[in-house]
Amino acid sequence: MPDCVFCKIIAREIPGTIRYEDAEVLAFDDIHPVANTHILVIPKEHIATAKDLTEEHQTVLFKLFVVAKKLAQEQGLAGYKLHLNVDTAGGQDVMHLHFHLLGGEFKTSGGETRV
Ligand code: 5GP
Ligand code: ZN
């Protein structure tokens, strides 16, 4: 998708700190982290929002959870949050489906949680 910033990171057209990659999934650090660990886990296929998921996405959707689990283990997190914003009205800014993997100390106000 030409104007999609995450597709550009997949294509290495813009830089990103890549944490994981395979044929279907990419994970990279969020450019504006709100927690010690803030990694975006995305399908390589351009799926705009969770509203666009169909049955054919079952495998890749499952893989997103597995990759998040592996990354959390690598980061030494005992637990973590997987945050998904759905569409503009749901707070989604980048229209390429992504989970926010969040863990450790939060940097925003009221975010003293440690997971
Ligand atoms: P959303 O609000 O769509 O759920 O989250 C989009 C996330 O993408 C935000 O947390 C934002 O900081 C991150 N982001 C936006 N542009 C870039 C970019 O060019 N590179 C990286 N690594 N993260 C980005
Ligand atoms: Zn995209």
Side-chain angles (χ1 to χ4, degrees), residues 5-6 9 28-31 40 85 91-94 98 100:
V5 65
F6 289 176
I9 292 173
F28 51 94
D29 286 346
D30 195 292
I31 203 167
L40 301 173
N85 293 323
Q92 184 178 355
D93 291 325
V94 177
H98 53 280
H100 297 252

Side-chain angles (χ1 to χ4, degrees), residues 1 30-31 39 44 51 56 68 71 83 90 92-93 104 112:
M1 197 60 67
D30 195 292
I31 203 167
I39 300 172
K44 284 191 169 176
K51 291 171 13 181
E56 72 191 32
L71 289 166
H83 186 109
Q92 184 178 355
D93 291 325
E112 288 78 26

Side-chain angles (χ1 to χ4, degrees), residues 1 4 6-7 46 95-96:
M1 197 60 67
C4 173
F6 289 176
C7 283
H46 181 89
M95 290 300 147
H96 182 130

Side-chain angles (χ1 to χ4, degrees), residues 13-14 17 20 30 32 36-38 41 47 50 52 54 58 64-65 68-69 74 78 89 91 96-97 99 105 107 113:
E13 289 170 15
I14 62 171
T17 303
Y20 177 88
D30 195 292
H32 294 127
N36 282 356
T37 296
H38 189 169
V41 186
I47 304 165
D52 300 297
T54 64
Q58 285 184 52
L64 297 177
F65 283 91
K69 176 185 77 169
E74 282 174 20
H96 182 130
L97 189 148
F99 281 109
E105 300 215 5
K107 295 173 181 174
T113 322

Side-chain angles (χ1 to χ4, degrees), residues 31-90:
I31 203 167
H32 294 127
V34 300
N36 282 356
T37 296
H38 189 169
I39 300 172
L40 301 173
V41 186
I42 71 170
K44 284 191 169 176
E45 178 183 346
H46 181 89
I47 304 165
T49 82
K51 291 171 13 181
D52 300 297
L53 287 166
T54 64
E55 293 210 354
E56 72 191 32
H57 298 125
Q58 285 184 52
T59 303
V60 71
L61 191 60
F62 175 73
K63 286 195 74 176
L64 297 177
F65 283 91
V66 173
V67 168
K69 176 185 77 169
K70 283 182 185 158
L71 289 166
Q73 281 170 349
E74 282 174 20
Q75 301 280 319
L77 296 171
Y80 53 93
K81 301 179 193 301
L82 272 182
H83 186 109
L84 174 67
N85 293 323
V86 184
D87 216 336
T88 309

